[in-house]
């Protein structure tokens, strides 16, 4: 059964359900379906195990009994493994380590690109203004100049966030030893045609790590994707001892689970074919049995007999959400946007809804299942112990597309054709390895069975009275004492025999050499690339063979560069969720090649960005670097550049850095040569030179005098300016005082006027009061009182 039918066969649960329905029972069904899917397609996993054992030199004796036990007899020789594939893989891995992965980290989200475009336009405009101010541009600005400035700024402009991201990539390369991880992934590609790894955090506050996963321990959904991070689900199966399980997961296990694990007796299937018969085609199983492979991979399972199976994996689930555009009463031109679950929109908010947009969001779930059904039987719920089952705390999303989530697992399949089938170099060369072992066995057997040349001596024909040692003695003397006849005409007959080695061994040796050549031809790693040179090889032929071999293997290293690109990209984007703690970021540092320490810190702008790795082909880059370094050595030998400049160029691993250094030195050398040629062309005679020197001395003296006079005049002028400034300041101060006095007088006059007006008004009021009192007195026929006092007031 193919992995496309896994969901139907195991009743893979529906993912498009409400959050309330995603209960523990639903989680267990998902985990069981994914774990059961691991047991499908066993042949693919068995093939990966076989590739590893072929490379390790494990030989199935049963598979070769038709050679080692002819006629039921055992020969005095044993079939052994003679490494034929391993040296090729060692060469490939060594060349991979020497490859220089030159890359740039750039921001790829839409906001970052728009910001970068605006900054580049601003720099171009500023550069044009500077050129106009310096009179470098006198006429109109044409399109050619704008294109040149834009190209230059695009090459030079790197934002601050991109610099931090590049430092983070260098930090990971040093602290996590990514070159070793990269080499392990390349070894996995050569062995099985596939490589897998997972990015995870071992503990809170720690750096992310890369864990390389053996290909036979992982299974994923079969989808048309390049990277399994885009698959729907993935699961890995490992075997652990009880102590390892308790050490890793004891904080998440109940007392019942711990007790059950301690008392569990682990056992494996006695025959892997029992599980293969459920899913695999019988022809594939019969082929394994007929070719003697059924016990070939049993070493792997025998090693895990006393261990418990542990499944770890992730899957993606869908969640239906609705994006609501809500009315803003305070500002109708700036509506609110809210994300709600499809079935939980409050009714009292529906009147404020302007529009709805239904979206399906992917959410990442993860799990750990300890054990299989046959470990626990029917007494336990489900098929094992379930922990860490639920939504992953780290959801890796893109800023531009937040509805899509990526798995923490990543992996690639290497294919050399359009079939998308994994191309394993070990599996491709296994037949030649087997033939190589068989021919070596025959050669060893011939050597073991070989002897010397001799004669067959019939002891019944021994002369009378002579012992065997007497006969051997006379043979040494060159004297043979025999009787011509004996009995009834029986004659002594001697027969020669030859058990020494003949030409068959040399023929086998030549056949072995032909197999090695064929293996090198098929793999692409010829003997010249492996360092095997013959005396008759010419220098040009060696270089041509190495270059031709690099063409045959270029696709391998280009694929490996893609693997490393995704490894770095995944780490950088994963780190956005790893280092933030209490709204602050961890300070990171690493040591540069010259011993200096680089210290940096992430920020919120880094978290709100997406980054991509852009690399150049390492094979072409290395060839160019070597060519340029050879040119630099030639220039150093000719004296065009200095020795210290050559050393700095040789130490550089980046072609752009080497190019800038070499061009700078060439420009300096060329400028120096031009100055020397100009000086030689304009060299005067001695007399003219002396006169010119005298004139120059007089000119310098006069110039010094003029400078002294000029400085004196400047000092006098400065003093006059200071005096004028003081005089002007004094005048300004006098004017200010006069103005102040004038203001005081004007204010005094105005105050006197106001005082007189107030006295006059008071007198008028008193007069009116007096008149009023007098009038009242007349009317009442009485004398007015207090008249005198009122007047006095």
């Amino acid at each position: 059964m193919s992995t496309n039918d896994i969901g139907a066969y195991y009743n893979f649960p529906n993912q498009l359900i409400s959050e309330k329905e995603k209960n523990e029972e639903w989680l267990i069904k998902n985990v069981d379906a994914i774990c059961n899917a691991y047991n499908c397609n066993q042949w693919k996993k068995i093939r990966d195990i076989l590739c590893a054992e072929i490379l390790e030199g494990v030989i199935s004796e049963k598979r070769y009994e038709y050679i080692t036990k002819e006629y039921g007899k055992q020969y005095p020789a044993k079939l052994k493994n003679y490494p034929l594939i391993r040296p090729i893989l060692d060469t490939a891995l060594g060349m991979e380590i020497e490859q220089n992965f030159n890359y740039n980290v750039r921001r790829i989200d839409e906001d970052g690109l728009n910001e970068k475009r605006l900054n580049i336009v601003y720099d171009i405009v500023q550069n044009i203004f500077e050129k106009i101010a310096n009179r470098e541009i006198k006429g109109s600005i044409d399109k050619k100049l704008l294109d040149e400035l834009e190209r230059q700024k695009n090459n030079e402009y790197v934002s601050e966030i991109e610099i931090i991201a590049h430092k983070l990539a260098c930090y990971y390369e040093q602290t996590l030893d990514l070159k070793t991880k990269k080499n392990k992934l390349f070894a996995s590609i050569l062995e099985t045609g596939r490589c897998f790894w997972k990015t995870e955090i071992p503990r809170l506050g720690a750096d992310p790590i890369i864990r390389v996963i053996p290909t036979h321990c992982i299974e994923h959904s079969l989808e048309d994707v390049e990277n399994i991070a885009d698959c729907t689900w993935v699961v890995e199966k490992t075997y652990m001892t009880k102590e390892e399980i308790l050490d890793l997961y004891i904080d998440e296990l109940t007392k019942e689970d711990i007790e059950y694990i301690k008392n569990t007796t682990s056992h494996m299937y006695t025959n892997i074919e029992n599980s293969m018969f459920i899913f695999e085609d019988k022809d594939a199983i019969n082929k394994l049995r007929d070719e003697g492979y059924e016990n070939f991979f049993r070493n792997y399972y025998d090693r895990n007999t006393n261990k418990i199976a542990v499944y770890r994996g992730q899957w993606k689930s869908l969640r239906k959400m609705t994006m609501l555009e809500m009315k803003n009463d305070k500002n109708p031109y700036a509506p609110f946007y809210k994300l709600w679950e499809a079935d939980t929109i409050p009714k009292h908010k529906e009147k404020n809804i302007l529009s709805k947009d239904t979206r399906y969001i992917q959410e990442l779930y993860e799990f750990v299942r300890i054990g299989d059904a046959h470990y626990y039987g029917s007494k336990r719920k489900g098929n094992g112990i379930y922990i860490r089952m639920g939504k992953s705390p780290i959801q890796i999303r893109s800023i531009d597309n937040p509805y899509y989530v990526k798995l923490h697992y990543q992996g690639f399949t290497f294919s050399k054709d359009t079939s998308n089938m994994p191309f394993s170099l070990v599996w491709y060369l296994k037949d030649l390895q087997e033939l190589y072992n068989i021919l070596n066995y025959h050669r060893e057997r011939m050597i073991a069975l070989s002897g010397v040349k001799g004669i067959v001596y019939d002891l019944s024909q021994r002369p009378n009275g002579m012992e065997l040692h007497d006969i051997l003695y006379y043979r040494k003397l060159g004297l043979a004492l025999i009787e011509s006849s004996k009995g009834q005409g029986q004659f002594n007959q001697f027969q020669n025999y030859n058990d020494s080695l003949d030409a068959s061994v040399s023929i086998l040796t030549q056949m072995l050499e032909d197999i090695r050549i064929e293996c090198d031809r098929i793999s692409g790693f010829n003997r010249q690339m492996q360092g095997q040179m013959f005396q008759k090889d010419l220098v040009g032929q060696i270089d041509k063979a190495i270059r031709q071999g690099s063409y045959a293997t270029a696709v391998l290293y280009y694929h490996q560069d893609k693997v490393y690109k995704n490894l770095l990209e995944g780490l950088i984007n994963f780190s956005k969720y790893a280092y933030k703690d209490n709204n602050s970021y961890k300070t990171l540092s690493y040591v540069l090649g010259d011993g200096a320490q680089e210290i940096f810190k992430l920020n919120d702008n880094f978290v709100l960005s997406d980054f991509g790795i852009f690399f150049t082909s390492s094979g072409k880059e290395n060839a160019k670097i070597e060519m340029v370094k050879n040119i630099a050595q030639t220039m150093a030998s000719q004296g065009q550049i200095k020795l210290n400049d050559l050393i700095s160029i040789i130490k550089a691993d980046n072609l752009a850095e080497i190019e800038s250094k070499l061009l700078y030195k060439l420009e300096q050398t060329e400028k120096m040569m031009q100055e020397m040629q100009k000086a030689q062309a304009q060299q005067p005679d001695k007399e003219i030179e002396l006169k010119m020197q005298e004139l120059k001395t007089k000119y310098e003296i006069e110039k010094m005098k003029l400078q002294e006079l000029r400085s004196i005049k400047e000092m006098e002028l400065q003093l006059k300016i200071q005096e004028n400034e003081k005089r002007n300041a004094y005048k300004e101060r006098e004017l200010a005082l006069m103005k102040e006095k004038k203001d005081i007088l004007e204010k005094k006059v105005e105050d006197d006027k106001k005082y007189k007006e107030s006295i006059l008004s008071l007198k008028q009021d008193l007069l009116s009061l007096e008149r009023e009192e007098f009038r009242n007195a007349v009317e009442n026929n009485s004398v007015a009182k207090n008249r005198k006092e009122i007047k006095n007031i």
Side-chain angles (χ1 to χ4, degrees):
M1 180 179 294
S2 65
T3 50
N4 288 328
D5 301 327
I6 291 172
Y9 187 82
Y10 288 109
N11 193 19
F12 200 77
N14 185 16
Q15 302 298 311
L16 192 57
I17 58 178
S18 64
E19 290 298 301
K20 294 181 181 179
E21 296 177 289
K22 295 180 179 180
N23 50 24
E24 184 180 3
E25 183 180 357
W26 177 83
L27 292 172
I28 290 175
K29 286 182 179 179
N30 279 280
V31 174
D32 289 344
I34 295 173
C35 293
N36 291 335
Y38 177 88
N39 297 319
C40 294
N41 202 1
Q42 283 287 340
W43 166 241
K44 182 169 63 176
K45 301 177 183 61
I46 291 171
R47 171 183 159 173
D48 294 346
I49 297 172
L50 292 176
C51 288
E53 293 190 346
I54 290 170
L55 202 59
E56 291 175 5
V58 179
I59 297 177
S60 174
E61 295 181 0
K62 182 179 178 181
R63 177 171 168 76
Y64 298 101
E65 283 183 353
Y66 73 99
I67 296 173
T68 58
K69 291 185 179 180
E70 294 181 9
Y71 310 110
K73 298 292 185 180
Q74 185 75 37
Y75 287 101
K78 188 176 181 180
L79 187 68
K80 294 179 290 187
N81 180 70
Y82 291 83
L84 178 68
I85 306 176
R86 171 60 72 182
I88 295 174
L89 264 62
D90 290 342
T91 301
L93 295 174
M95 292 177 63
E96 196 275 335
I97 291 177
E98 293 296 323
Q99 300 288 329
N100 290 320
F101 185 75
N102 298 310
Y103 63 92
N104 294 308
V105 185
R106 294 291 180 265
R107 192 174 175 182
I108 59 175
D109 57 285
E110 187 176 356
D111 293 340
L113 295 177
N114 291 332
E115 180 183 350
K116 185 174 184 178
R117 192 181 296 111
L118 290 174
N119 290 335
I120 289 175
V121 171
Y122 175 78
D123 291 346
I124 291 173
V125 173
Q126 189 176 9
N127 196 343
I128 290 174
F129 284 155
E130 290 178 358
K131 289 181 179 294
I132 293 174
N134 297 330
R135 296 183 179 181
E136 297 179 14
I137 300 177
K138 297 181 180 179
S140 60
I141 301 173
D142 56 353
K143 188 176 183 300
K144 184 177 180 181
L145 176 61
L146 288 175
D147 293 340
E148 179 64 24
L149 289 174
E150 184 178 3
R151 185 189 63 81
Q152 182 180 358
K153 290 299 178 182
N154 280 327
N155 292 336
E156 296 176 354
Y157 183 84
V158 181
S159 65
E160 181 183 357
I161 301 301
E162 291 172 344
I163 294 174
I164 292 176
H166 193 277
K167 290 180 180 179
L168 185 63
C170 296
Y171 169 76
Y172 283 139
E173 282 187 318
Q174 187 178 112
T175 57
L176 302 184
D177 194 13
L178 293 186
K179 294 294 180 68
T180 302
K181 299 289 192 302
K182 179 186 176 186
N183 202 252
K184 286 184 178 179
L185 293 172
F186 189 52
S188 178
I189 290 173
L190 296 176
E191 293 175 16
T192 63
R194 300 181 299 158
C195 64
F196 301 104
W197 70 93
K198 184 186 179 186
T199 309
E200 58 188 10
I201 302 177
R203 63 184 182 279
L204 187 64
D207 292 333
I209 63 171
I210 296 295
R211 182 166 57 84
V212 179
I213 304 172
T215 56
H216 60 267
C217 294
I218 194 169
E219 187 62 53
H220 59 87
S221 59
L222 187 60
E223 301 173 53
D224 188 15
V225 293
E226 185 180 23
N227 192 345
I228 67 166
D230 300 318
C231 288
T232 304
W233 57 264
V234 66
V235 59
E236 59 170 315
K237 182 180 180 180
T238 55
Y239 292 95
M240 299 184 184
T241 62
K242 300 174 185 179
E243 291 76 14
E244 290 173 337
I245 294 173
L246 295 176
D247 183 54
L248 285 175
Y249 306 114
I250 191 168
D251 293 335
E252 303 170 60
L253 297 172
T254 63
K255 293 182 179 180
E256 180 187 1
D257 293 336
I258 295 173
E259 192 66 26
Y260 208 92
I261 290 174
K262 289 181 178 179
N263 298 330
T264 297
T265 301
S266 307
H267 91 278
M268 302 293 298
Y269 285 119
T270 56
N271 196 341
I272 195 64
E273 295 178 10
N274 294 336
S275 60
M276 289 181 63
F277 272 122
I278 303 175
F279 310 102
E280 299 294 339
D281 187 3
K282 291 183 179 180
D283 293 337
I285 300 172
N286 293 332
K287 182 180 179 182
L288 275 177
R289 185 187 296 109
D290 295 340
E291 294 184 359
Y293 281 122
E294 72 276 7
N295 292 321
F296 197 58
F297 53 87
R298 195 173 297 279
N299 291 337
Y300 169 74
Y301 292 100
D302 289 343
R303 291 196 298 265
N304 302 318
T305 301
N306 297 320
K307 296 182 180 181
I308 299 175
V310 178
Y311 295 88
R312 292 175 287 186
Q314 295 175 335
W315 82 91
K316 299 177 184 178
S317 181
L318 292 176
R319 184 179 181 183
K320 188 177 180 180
M321 303 293 289
T322 302
M323 179 69 74
L324 300 180
E325 184 180 1
M326 309 290 292
K327 183 169 61 176
N328 187 356
D329 296 332
K330 295 182 179 180
N331 186 2
Y333 298 102
F336 297 117
Y337 291 93
K338 292 186 178 181
L339 196 63
W340 292 83
E341 287 197 35
D343 302 330
T344 60
I345 301 175
K347 292 183 178 180
H348 66 276
K349 291 186 176 292
E350 292 183 354
K351 60 181 180 181
N352 296 327
I353 296 175
L354 299 177
S355 64
K356 296 181 181 180
D357 186 14
T358 302
R359 299 288 181 91
Y360 293 93
I361 300 176
Q362 288 185 345
E363 293 182 318
L364 185 63
Y365 284 77
E366 61 183 13
F367 68 90
V368 175
R369 193 184 87 176
I370 302 172
D372 280 318
H374 60 276
Y375 288 122
Y376 305 104
S378 59
K379 293 183 179 181
R380 295 190 64 83
K381 183 179 179 180
N383 293 321
I385 299 174
Y386 301 85
I387 57 176
R388 296 187 186 178
M389 188 171 55
K391 291 182 183 179
S392 174
I394 298 178
Q395 305 277 335
I396 301 177
R397 302 180 184 275
S398 171
I399 301 299
D400 293 335
N401 185 15
Y403 304 100
Y404 182 77
V405 70
K406 283 183 174 290
L407 298 174
H408 300 172
Y409 291 87
Q410 294 193 67
F412 287 84
T413 298
F414 174 69
S415 178
K416 294 187 72 172
D417 50 33
T418 57
S419 64
N420 290 330
M421 294 299 293
F423 177 81
S424 167
L425 190 61
V426 174
W427 192 257
Y428 197 61
L429 299 175
K430 71 178 180 63
D431 294 332
L432 290 176
Q433 177 68 71
E434 292 175 358
L435 183 58
Y436 194 74
N437 292 338
I438 291 171
L439 290 178
N440 273 293
Y441 165 77
H442 285 302
R443 187 173 67 167
E444 181 183 350
R445 188 189 65 175
M446 287 182 180
I447 295 173
L449 295 175
S450 65
V452 297
K453 293 182 180 180
I455 60 172
V456 178
Y457 192 94
D458 189 357
L459 292 178
S460 63
Q461 304 298 323
R462 183 178 51 141
N464 294 331
M466 295 184 66
E467 297 296 335
L468 183 59
H469 60 273
D470 295 329
I471 297 174
L472 295 176
Y473 170 75
Y474 282 112
R475 287 192 62 213
K476 285 284 186 179
L477 296 177
L479 178 63
L481 301 175
I482 62 172
E483 296 182 7
S484 60
S485 63
K486 189 173 182 182
Q488 300 176 353
Q490 294 180 357
F491 294 94
N492 189 13
Q493 298 177 358
F494 299 94
Q495 182 179 5
N496 295 328
Y497 66 92
N498 186 359
D499 289 337
S500 61
L501 295 175
D502 54 11
S504 58
V505 175
S506 60
I507 294 174
L508 286 176
T509 304
Q510 183 60 43
M511 292 174 66
L512 292 171
E513 182 63 27
D514 293 340
I515 292 175
R516 283 194 292 268
I517 294 173
E518 183 68 13
C519 191
D520 296 342
R521 185 186 68 83
I522 293 174
S523 65
F525 295 94
N526 50 41
R527 61 177 177 84
Q528 287 84 359
M529 295 177 70
Q530 299 180 44
Q532 301 175 14
M533 307 298 176
F534 294 158
Q535 189 174 1
K536 60 181 180 181
D537 289 340
L538 301 177
V539 176
Q541 293 177 348
I542 294 173
D543 294 339
K544 186 175 180 180
I546 293 174
R547 187 165 58 253
Q548 190 66 32
S550 65
Y551 294 153
T553 58
V555 62
L556 276 170
Y557 294 106
Y558 181 78
H559 178 81
Q560 180 62 11
D561 288 342
K562 285 204 308 181
V563 170
Y564 196 52
K565 166 187 178 295
N566 280 268
L567 189 147
L568 275 178
E569 276 185 1
L571 269 173
I572 292 174
N573 291 317
F574 194 87
S575 63
K576 294 188 291 187
Y577 307 88
Y579 290 124
K580 189 171 183 180
D581 184 21
N582 295 328
N583 295 326
S584 63
Y585 295 92
K586 182 179 177 182
T587 301
L588 306 174
S589 67
Y590 62 96
V591 179
L592 301 174
D594 56 355
Q597 189 177 16
E598 185 74 44
I599 302 173
F600 64 99
K601 191 175 185 179
L602 308 183
N603 52 35
D604 290 329
N605 200 8
F606 175 85
V607 175
L608 298 176
S609 306
D610 288 334
F611 299 96
I613 301 291
F614 300 91
F615 67 94
T616 56
S617 177
S618 57
K620 293 181 180 179
E621 192 81 1
N622 289 337
K624 293 177 182 178
I625 289 174
E626 291 300 324
M627 188 180 297
V628 174
K629 287 183 178 180
N630 292 333
I631 293 173
Q633 291 179 2
T634 304
M635 293 174 62
S637 62
Q638 295 175 356
Q640 296 180 5
I641 59 176
K642 297 180 181 179
L643 184 60
N644 56 354
D645 298 332
L646 176 63
I647 293 173
S648 64
I649 290 172
I650 291 175
K651 288 171 63 178
D653 294 329
N654 192 335
L655 184 61
E657 183 182 357
I658 295 175
E659 182 183 2
S660 62
K661 289 182 178 180
L662 192 58
L663 290 177
Y664 177 72
K665 296 302 177 184
L666 286 174
E667 289 176 359
Q668 284 188 333
T669 304
E670 186 177 357
K671 188 182 294 185
M672 188 183 300
M673 293 295 293
Q674 289 177 356
E675 291 178 356
M676 290 177 62
Q677 291 175 0
K678 186 177 180 180
Q680 289 178 358
Q682 297 178 356
Q683 185 176 7
D685 296 334
K686 291 184 178 180
E687 295 180 359
I688 298 175
E689 186 177 357
L690 290 174
K691 290 181 180 180
M692 290 292 293
Q693 189 67 29
E694 291 178 1
L695 292 173
K696 187 176 180 180
T697 304
K698 290 180 181 180
Y699 171 76
E700 292 293 335
I701 294 171
E702 295 295 331
K703 186 177 179 181
M704 290 174 62
K705 290 180 179 179
L706 289 173
Q707 287 179 351
E708 290 178 356
L709 290 173
R710 182 179 179 182
S711 60
I712 292 170
K713 292 291 183 182
E714 287 179 352
M715 290 175 63
E716 292 177 354
L717 182 62
Q718 189 69 23
L719 290 173
K720 288 182 179 180
I721 291 171
Q722 290 177 358
E723 289 178 358
N724 291 332
E725 288 178 350
K726 289 180 180 179
R727 193 178 297 111
N728 293 333
Y730 179 75
K731 289 181 178 180
E732 288 177 356
R733 207 176 296 115
E734 287 183 348
L735 290 173
L737 290 173
M738 291 175 66
K739 185 178 179 181
E740 186 178 356
K741 290 179 179 179
K742 182 179 179 182
D743 292 340
I744 292 171
L745 290 173
E746 289 178 353
K747 187 176 180 182
K748 184 177 180 183
V749 171
E750 188 175 354
D751 292 341
D752 292 342
K753 184 179 178 181
K754 289 181 180 180
Y755 177 74
K756 290 179 181 179
E757 288 177 354
S758 61
I759 294 296
L760 181 61
S761 176
L762 183 61
K763 286 182 179 182
Q764 289 177 355
D765 293 339
L766 291 174
L767 182 61
S768 299
L769 182 62
E770 188 178 87
R771 289 176 180 173
E772 184 68 25
E773 289 179 353
F774 180 75
R775 192 182 297 113
N776 292 334
V778 172
E779 290 177 356
N780 296 327
N781 294 319
S782 61
V783 182
K785 296 179 180 181
N786 301 327
R787 182 173 180 179
K788 185 177 181 179
E789 287 77 2
I790 295 171
K791 287 182 177 181
N792 291 334
I793 292 172

